[in-house]
């Protein structure tokens, strides 16, 4: 509301005085009442908090139960293994996620440490934390704004608000009252905490401090957004609950069967508990954590830093990427792309060197910015300097040739700047600014053959050209001049000008962006642009990058405010560009996509992006241009600030999920085989084919290295990116996963029982362990023959198979192990038989491929 008041009304509303400011006593009183001008600090996580967060997982609870049962069984080695798995899982998670969210701390660092304030009529420097509402504060170029201020007076004041509003260009400020109900980005008489003064000076009254500022509201939103579990975490949680139920049911069922069959109750109890432990793949949490951690290491190579492990997998199911415009899709650097001169619009690439000299020299002379090792000045002026350099002009030599003798600085209300230069025996004035203002002051127009009077028709033609450039999202600046200056006043310098032309500039899209958007669309991923910039500018970039094709696909924050939730939900399917939005809008848009069942990734670099980065399933911050606030609120950081990197990261995420799923199906089908073996034997009244130690040993050699080898397998990335995103509701056993698990479980159980029938416990023990090693090889790709797989691509699988076989050989051939496990030594002929029997899962893998090959062959024949 303060933006609508005159300075007098403002002082009355805030009980202050423009001339003297607050008294020291009043300021102290308000400080005690409202508190310091600082942002509330978020509760920091301790190491213990982080450990608890890692342990608070259903699968980990089950492992603790398994460890307790192992102690009861006096299987202390297995207890040690299970506890080691828990420790490894927790340690990796804490290290990777060790940097607890510090968004609030980063926001605090962004606030100005001191401020020049008027108290008791005297200017004094005080800590910014001691500012209160009603304080009169002085501002000048290079300062950070210390609180939210309503401006009382300005002298060419320009403020960079991009981190807060998303608008890429510095905003020229005014002290005039504004109409009500404007978004923060359009309140030109307000400046906000943490924004940087680019040029000029001014004075304003503090209207909000601390958490009541625009920055504070964003900080509040960061605290309000709660993290949700990723799809994989949800699936693993469900699996953990299911396995715990299965374990309890198995224990009870086997023990009851033992009672009915009058077996040794103590032995049956131990066996039932062992089988319950076998039902739980204790290696699964460690495998998942290690696979994700290895994925994180690979992602560093594609310019991606993962802050939270589960984010790696979540990338694979992302269906919508909401991208900030400035600096992500674009270069975050204004560039002249078109010139209007001699009655035509020309792309800059078609302008010849030193063509239109008056226009180009005028843009370089009427300019207060500087190129060099460090670029200084306004983004639009720097773009003009780069254009001049590209077209062969030496700006320094021009200034020496035509020295400046007078200047009227840029005025944000009249939107022009004028500079006078000595040209031989007379002086020439150049006027640069908004096209409408310049046109009004022009009596002539420069054409290739000389100057002609500015007729109404010519004025209309220039205006149409300006509108055409604006529709392309260009920011348009016009230039006019007049030779032989007589009077150095505003009236004397801005009358009877000659219109020289216009320059159209834009923050251009990155070269790789359009191709990345196309690839993501082919992968079924929708891309939406969310920006604080203007609708026309946003649509121009969206059209060039392939995000949107028509203006109907664009909407503004103001239009969102006027919609009901139902109307918004209905329009979301078609909207691809959200322009002039606030941080609250961004959160609302992300949440709306999520309520529609989508997994959402959100990119951003500014303070204004932090709440939406947290609200998204995957928050992606920019490493180079991103603020600390954005980085600490994000799940992953792009070190090259390039949108195309998201595509590579998504490809890696999809591959990681496929590998995790392979590991899970392998572990569960193998463990299911153990369960069926024991259960079937007891039901049939047979002696128990395996001891408790046999089951735990097999789990040791199969639940670790082979599962991990599957977790680091190499997949066909191109094929993965041609598929649609995975449905977030899809379970781990979708697409025949349950049938696969049950089939191979029964197959492993069948050959194990056959081995038991042929040669007793040692045969059954050996086949159970080795068959799972063969099964792991086939699991690398269910749709490809082992003879067409490149096994050298996965040396870990070769190592896991050889080591597992060596360990199984050890318990039947080394005397101390033979005695410990109650096995018998086997001859070479027996080993040949058992290896052949154990390879049946691999044979079945090949046989199951034949119907698919025949079917594809018939289809090819029809075609």
């Amino acid at each position: 509301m303060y933006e609508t008041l005159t300075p007098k009304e403002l002082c009355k509303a805030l009980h202050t005085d423009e001339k003297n400011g607050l008294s020291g006593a009043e300021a102290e009183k308000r400080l005690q009442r409202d508190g310091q001008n600082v942002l509330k600090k978020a509760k920091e996580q301790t190491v213990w908090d982080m450990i608890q967060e890692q342990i608070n997982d259903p699968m980990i609870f089950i492992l603790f139960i398994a460890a307790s049962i192992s102690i009861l069984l006096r299987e202390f080695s297995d207890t040690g293994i299970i506890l080691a798995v828990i420790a490894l899982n927790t340690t990796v998670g804490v290290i990777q996620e060790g940097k607890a969210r510090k968004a609030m701390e980063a926001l605090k660092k962004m606030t100005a440490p001191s401020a020049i304030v008027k108290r008791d009529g005297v200017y004094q420097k005080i800590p910014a934390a001691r500012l209160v509402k009603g304080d009169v504060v002085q501002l000048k170029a290079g300062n950070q704004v210390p609180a939210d201020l309503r401006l009382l007076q300005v002298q060419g004041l320009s403020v960079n608000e991009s981190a807060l509003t998303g608008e890429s260009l510095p905003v020229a400020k005014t002290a005039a009252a504004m109409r009500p109900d404007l978004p923060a980005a359009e309140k030109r008489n307000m400046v906000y905490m943490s924004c940087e003064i680019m040029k000029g000076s001014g004075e304003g009254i503090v209207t909000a401090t601390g958490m009541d500022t625009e920055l504070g509201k964003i900080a509040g939103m960061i605290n309000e957004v709660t993290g949700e579990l990723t799809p994989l975490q949800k699936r693993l949680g469900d699996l953990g609950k299911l396995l715990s139920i299965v374990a309890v049911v198995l224990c009870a069922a086997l023990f009851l069967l033992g009672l009915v069959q009058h077996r040794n109750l103590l032995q049956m109890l131990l066996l039932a508990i062992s089988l319950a432990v076998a039902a739980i793949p204790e290696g699964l949490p460690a495998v998942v954590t290690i696979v994700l951690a290895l994925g994180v290491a690979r992602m560093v190579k594609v310019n991606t830093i993962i802050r939270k492990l589960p984010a790696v997998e979540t990338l694979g199911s992302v269906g919508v990427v909401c991208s900030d415009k400035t600096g992500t899709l674009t270069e975050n650097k204004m560039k002249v792309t078109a010139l209007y001169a001699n009655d035509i619009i020309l792309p800059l690439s078609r302008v010849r060197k030193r063509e239109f000299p008056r226009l180009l020299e005028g843009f370089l002379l009427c300019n207060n910015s500087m190129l060099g090792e460090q670029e200084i000045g306004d983004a639009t002026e720097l773009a003009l300097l780069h254009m001049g350099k590209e077209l062969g002009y030496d700006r320094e030599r021009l200034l020496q040739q035509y020295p400046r003798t007078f200047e009227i600085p840029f005025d944000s209300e009249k939107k022009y700047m004028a500079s006078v230069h000595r040209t031989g025996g007379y002086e020439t004035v150049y006027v640069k600014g908004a096209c409408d203002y310049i046109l009004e002051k022009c009596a002539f127009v420069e054409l290739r053959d000389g100057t002609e009077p500015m007729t109404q028709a010519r004025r209309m033609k220039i205006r149409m050209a300006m509108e055409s450039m604006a529709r392309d999202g260009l920011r348009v600046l016009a230039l006019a001049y007049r030779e032989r200056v007589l009077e150095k006043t505003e009236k004397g310098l801005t009358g009877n000008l000659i219109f020289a032309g216009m320059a159209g500039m834009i923050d251009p899209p990155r070269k790789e962006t359009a191709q990345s958007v196309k690839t993501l669309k082919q992968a079924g991923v929708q891309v939406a642009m969310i920006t604080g910039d203007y609708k026309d500018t946003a649509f121009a970039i969206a059209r060039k990058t392939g995000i949107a094709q028509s203006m109907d696909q664009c909407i503004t924050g103001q239009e969102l405010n006027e919609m009901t939730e139902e109307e918004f939900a209905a329009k979301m399917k078609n909207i691809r560009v959200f322009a002039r939005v606030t941080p609250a809008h961004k959160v609302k848009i992300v949440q709306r996509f999520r309520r529609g069942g989508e997994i959402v990734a959100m990119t951003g670099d500014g303070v204004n992006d932090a709440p939406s980065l947290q609200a998204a399933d995957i928050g992606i911050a920019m490493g180079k241009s991103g603020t600390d606030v954005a980085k600490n609120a994000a799940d992953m950081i792009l070190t090259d600030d390039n949108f195309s990197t998201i595509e590579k990261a998504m490809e890696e995420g999809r591959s990681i999920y496929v590998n995790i799923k392979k590991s899970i199906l392998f572990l569960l089908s193998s463990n299911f085989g153990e369960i069926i073996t024991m259960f079937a034997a007891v039901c049939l009244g047979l002696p128990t084919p395996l001891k408790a130690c046999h089951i735990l040993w097999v789990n040791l050699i199969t639940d670790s290295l082979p599962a991990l080898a599957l977790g680091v397998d190499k997949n066909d990335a191109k094929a993965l990116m041609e598929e649609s995103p995975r449905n977030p509701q899809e379970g781990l056993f979708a697409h025949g996963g349950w049938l696969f698990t049950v089939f191979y479980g029964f197959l492993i159980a069948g050959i194990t029982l056959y081995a038991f029938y042929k040669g007793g416990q040692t045969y059954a023990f050996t086949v159970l362990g080795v068959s799972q090693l063969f099964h792991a090889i086939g699991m690398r790709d269910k749709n490809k023959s082992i003879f067409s797989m490149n096994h050298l691509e996965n040396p870990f699988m070769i190592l896991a198979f050889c080591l597992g076989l060596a360990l199984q050989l050890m318990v039947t051939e080394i005397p101390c192990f033979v005695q410990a496990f109650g096995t018998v030594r086997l001859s070479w002929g027996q080993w040949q038989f058992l290896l052949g029997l154990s390879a049946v899962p691999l044979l079945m893998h090949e046989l199951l491929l034949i119907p698919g090959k025949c079917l594809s062959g018939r289809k090819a024949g029809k075609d």
Side-chain angles (χ1 to χ4, degrees):
M1 76 172 190
Y2 295 113
E3 70 275 6
T4 64
L5 305 177
T6 64
K8 190 175 180 181
E9 291 170 334
L10 182 67
C11 290
K12 187 177 179 182
L14 293 170
H15 305 290
T16 188
D17 176 27
E18 182 180 352
K19 187 178 178 182
N20 298 307
L22 295 172
S23 67
E26 178 62 23
E28 189 61 35
K29 184 179 172 184
R30 294 187 186 192
L31 185 66
Q32 295 300 319
R33 183 191 68 195
D34 300 331
Q36 289 200 329
N37 177 36
V38 293
L39 301 174
K40 286 182 183 174
K41 193 175 179 181
K43 181 182 178 291
E44 289 187 12
Q45 279 188 311
T46 63
V47 174
W48 175 241
D49 290 334
M50 289 187 274
I51 291 171
Q52 283 183 308
E53 194 175 283
Q54 294 297 321
I55 291 175
N56 189 19
D57 181 280
M59 288 297 289
I60 300 298
F61 291 152
I62 293 170
L63 290 188
F64 275 122
I65 294 169
S68 304
I69 292 169
S70 298
I71 292 171
L72 290 175
L73 292 171
R74 307 186 74 77
E75 295 289 344
F76 300 116
S77 60
D78 200 62
T79 305
I81 291 166
I82 293 172
L83 292 176
V85 164
I86 294 171
L88 176 65
N89 184 67
T90 304
T91 303
V92 172
V94 168
I95 289 171
Q96 186 62 32
E97 299 181 21
K99 290 186 178 180
R101 288 192 290 262
K102 294 179 183 176
M104 299 305 303
E105 193 62 36
L107 280 164
K108 189 179 177 185
K109 287 177 185 175
M110 289 187 68
T111 58
S114 62
I116 304 296
V117 64
K118 192 187 286 184
R119 297 258 176 98
D120 296 311
V122 178
Y123 285 107
Q124 52 186 282
K125 190 174 184 178
I126 66 167
R130 298 190 65 81
L131 281 177
V132 295
K133 280 179 73 171
D135 264 328
V136 177
V137 176
Q138 194 180 72
L139 302 168
K140 51 183 161 183
N143 290 354
Q144 258 191 2
V145 181
D148 285 4
L149 310 176
R150 161 68 163 88
L151 294 168
L152 297 172
Q153 51 181 280
V154 297
Q155 291 84 39
L157 190 69
S158 179
V159 182
N160 179 5
E161 296 180 345
S162 60
L164 196 65
T165 66
E167 188 169 338
S168 53
L169 293 170
V171 181
K173 293 296 181 178
T174 177
M178 312 286 289
R179 64 181 176 84
D181 302 322
L182 287 172
E186 293 179 20
K187 294 177 182 177
R188 302 298 191 198
N189 58 5
M190 296 289 297
V191 289
Y192 304 106
M193 179 189 270
S194 88
C195 293
E196 187 181 357
I197 308 294
M198 300 303 291
K199 62 181 181 180
S201 60
E203 203 165 85
I205 293 182
V206 176
T207 58
T209 60
M211 295 300 288
D212 293 328
T213 62
E214 290 296 316
L215 191 68
K217 290 172 187 173
I218 293 173
M221 281 192 279
I222 293 173
N223 278 343
E224 287 168 13
V225 175
T226 54
E228 289 196 18
L229 295 177
T230 70
L232 180 63
Q233 286 174 318
K234 291 173 184 174
R235 299 287 85 80
L236 289 176
D238 294 341
L239 179 62
K241 292 170 189 172
L242 176 65
L243 290 177
S244 60
I245 293 168
V246 168
V248 171
V249 171
L250 278 174
C251 272
L254 265 183
F255 188 68
L256 288 172
L257 273 171
L259 278 175
V260 171
Q261 295 177 0
H262 305 292
R263 298 198 183 210
N264 184 301
L265 291 184
L266 181 59
Q267 284 185 347
M268 285 306 300
L269 178 62
L270 291 174
L271 192 63
I273 294 172
S274 298
L275 203 56
V277 172
I280 300 161
E282 55 263 42
L284 181 57
V287 167
V288 170
T289 303
I290 292 168
V291 170
L292 290 175
L294 291 172
V296 166
R298 285 198 300 274
M299 282 187 158
V300 171
K301 296 175 184 176
V302 292
N303 301 311
T304 306
I305 296 171
I306 300 292
R307 292 189 66 249
K308 299 169 186 175
L309 276 180
V312 182
E313 173 274 329
T314 311
L315 272 169
S317 55
V318 166
V320 177
V321 175
C322 295
S323 178
D324 184 38
K325 178 182 74 69
T326 306
T328 308
L329 296 170
T330 67
E331 296 176 2
N332 197 20
K333 186 177 181 181
M334 295 299 287
K335 186 177 182 180
V336 176
T337 58
L339 288 178
Y340 174 83
N342 195 33
D343 274 352
I344 56 169
I345 299 173
L346 278 175
L348 193 67
S349 57
R350 285 178 52 196
V351 176
R352 297 191 302 274
K353 287 197 173 184
R354 300 192 173 275
E355 191 176 8
F356 313 126
R358 185 68 85 173
L359 174 65
L360 295 171
E361 287 178 7
F363 274 137
L364 298 181
L365 291 168
C366 188
N367 194 312
N368 283 332
S369 296
M370 287 187 290
L371 294 181
E373 288 185 16
Q374 188 175 0
E375 297 181 354
I376 300 170
D378 181 80
T380 56
E381 289 194 335
L382 288 168
L384 294 171
L385 295 183
H386 279 291
M387 172 193 68
K389 190 175 180 181
E390 189 178 328
L391 293 175
Y393 286 87
D394 186 330
R395 200 270 184 116
E396 296 307 314
R397 186 176 294 175
L398 271 179
L399 285 171
Q400 289 172 9
Q401 190 176 351
Y402 309 115
R404 185 181 294 184
T405 59
F406 186 76
E407 174 191 348
I408 298 178
F410 177 78
D411 185 301
S412 60
E413 291 182 21
K414 294 181 179 177
K415 296 184 179 176
Y416 84 94
M417 169 191 175
S419 64
V420 180
H421 298 265
R422 189 175 303 285
T423 312
Y426 58 89
E427 291 181 314
T428 300
V429 62
Y430 292 97
V431 185
K432 175 192 75 184
C435 189
D436 285 330
Y437 176 83
I438 301 294
L439 263 180
E440 285 176 19
K441 303 296 182 182
C442 290
F444 303 93
V445 60
E446 183 182 78
L447 300 172
R448 196 176 294 277
D449 300 326
T451 59
E452 292 185 11
M454 177 69 78
T455 63
Q456 196 61 36
R458 285 203 178 282
R459 206 181 297 275
M460 184 66 70
K461 189 172 184 179
I462 292 169
R463 226 175 230 118
M464 287 172 66
M466 179 198 71
E467 289 170 2
S468 172
M469 294 167 83
R471 278 196 299 274
D472 286 335
L474 301 183
R475 178 183 173 89
V476 184
L477 280 180
L479 183 97
Y481 70 96
R482 195 180 79 246
E483 296 175 333
R484 305 188 186 282
V485 170
L486 299 175
E487 184 185 342
K488 292 180 182 177
T489 62
E490 181 180 356
K491 188 175 180 182
L493 294 176
T494 60
N496 292 321
L497 297 174
I498 301 168
F499 187 84
M502 298 181 291
M505 60 192 74
I506 197 169
D507 180 8
R510 292 175 179 268
K511 292 176 184 176
E512 315 89 348
T513 300
Q515 182 56 48
S516 295
V517 170
K518 184 179 178 182
T519 304
L520 289 175
K521 282 186 175 181
Q522 288 171 346
V525 180
Q526 182 187 144
V527 181
M529 180 196 292
I530 307 180
T531 178
D533 226 328
Y534 288 96
K535 193 174 184 179
D536 286 341
T537 306
F539 174 63
I541 297 296
R543 188 173 58 188
K544 286 178 182 177
T545 54
I547 292 173
Q549 283 73 47
S550 72
M551 191 60 89
D552 293 339
Q553 293 177 293
C554 306
I555 196 170
T556 65
Q558 187 64 38
E559 290 169 323
L560 281 182
N561 290 339
E562 294 165 2
M563 285 183 184
T564 63
E565 189 64 30
E566 292 73 23
E567 289 171 336
F568 183 31
K571 288 208 78 172
M572 280 290 282
K573 294 175 184 176
N574 187 50
I575 300 300
R576 295 293 176 272
V577 178
F578 301 85
R580 301 304 280 168
V581 293
T582 64
H585 284 138
K586 291 185 179 186
V587 174
K588 183 179 179 182
I589 292 163
V590 167
Q591 289 176 339
R592 180 65 260 175
F593 273 122
R594 293 186 70 194
R595 280 198 291 274
E598 300 284 1
I599 298 294
V600 182
M602 172 76 194
T603 76
D605 57 2
V607 178
N608 62 318
D609 297 315
S612 51
L613 289 174
Q614 279 202 323
D617 296 284
I618 296 280
I620 306 172
M622 302 299 114
K624 287 182 181 177
S625 62
T627 59
D628 286 345
V629 183
K631 290 174 190 174
N632 284 305
D635 301 288
M636 58 183 271
I637 299 166
L638 306 183
T639 58
D640 61 354
D641 286 16
N642 200 329
F643 182 82
S644 62
T645 303
I646 298 171
E647 172 206 331
K648 297 169 191 167
M650 204 172 287
E651 185 181 289
E652 189 69 45
R654 289 188 176 193
S655 179
I656 286 167
Y657 181 80
V658 168
N659 285 344
I660 288 173
K661 188 171 179 179
K662 282 193 280 192
S663 298
I664 291 170
L665 291 180
F666 163 70
L667 288 170
L668 293 182
S669 55
S670 297
N671 287 23
F672 189 61
E674 298 168 15
I675 294 166
I676 297 301
T677 299
M678 298 300 292
F679 217 79
V682 173
C683 287
L684 294 171
L686 300 173
T688 52
L690 297 163
K691 295 179 181 178
C693 63
H694 293 168
I695 294 172
L696 297 171
W697 177 259
V698 168
N699 276 9
L700 172 66
I701 67 171
T702 61
D703 280 16
S704 51
L705 286 179
L708 190 56
L710 286 171
V712 297
D713 210 9
K714 191 174 180 181
N715 296 297
D716 185 346
K718 187 179 178 183
L720 286 174
M721 288 305 285
E722 288 173 355
E723 297 174 5
S724 295
R726 187 178 74 256
N727 187 330
Q729 303 303 318
E730 180 183 295
L732 290 166
F733 301 100
H735 311 296
W738 269 122
L739 184 63
F740 177 89
T741 302
V742 170
F743 173 79
Y744 276 99
F746 272 106
L747 182 65
I748 290 168
I751 59 176
T752 302
L753 287 169
Y754 178 71
F756 179 61
Y757 166 73
K758 294 291 286 183
Q761 275 192 341
T762 302
Y763 270 36
F765 179 28
T766 303
V767 168
L768 182 66
V770 178
S771 65
Q772 292 180 32
L773 296 175
F774 278 109
H775 179 39
I777 295 172
M779 278 298 303
R780 284 193 61 205
D781 193 330
K782 293 189 292 179
N783 302 311
K784 188 184 284 187
S785 166
I786 61 165
F787 301 106
S788 59
M789 293 179 192
N790 183 352
H791 295 286
L792 295 178
E793 277 184 347
N794 193 343
F796 297 106
M797 181 59 76
I798 298 170
L799 174 66
F801 182 86
C802 294
L803 187 59
L805 196 58
L807 288 170
Q808 193 60 39
L809 192 67
M810 186 175 73
V811 296
T812 60
E813 304 307 318
I814 297 176
C816 62
F817 285 99
V818 169
Q819 187 176 0
F821 284 88
T823 57
V824 294
R825 298 183 72 175
L826 301 172
S827 67
W828 170 237
Q830 289 173 314
W831 265 107
Q832 285 180 307
F833 168 71
L834 294 176
L835 285 171
L837 190 59
S838 299
V840 168
L842 208 53
L843 174 65
M844 191 55 66
H845 168 85
E846 293 297 306
L847 292 174
L848 289 173
L849 290 173
I850 294 173
K853 288 177 182 176
C854 293
L855 186 61
S856 62
R858 284 200 298 273
K859 284 182 179 177
K862 285 180 183 178
D863 292 342

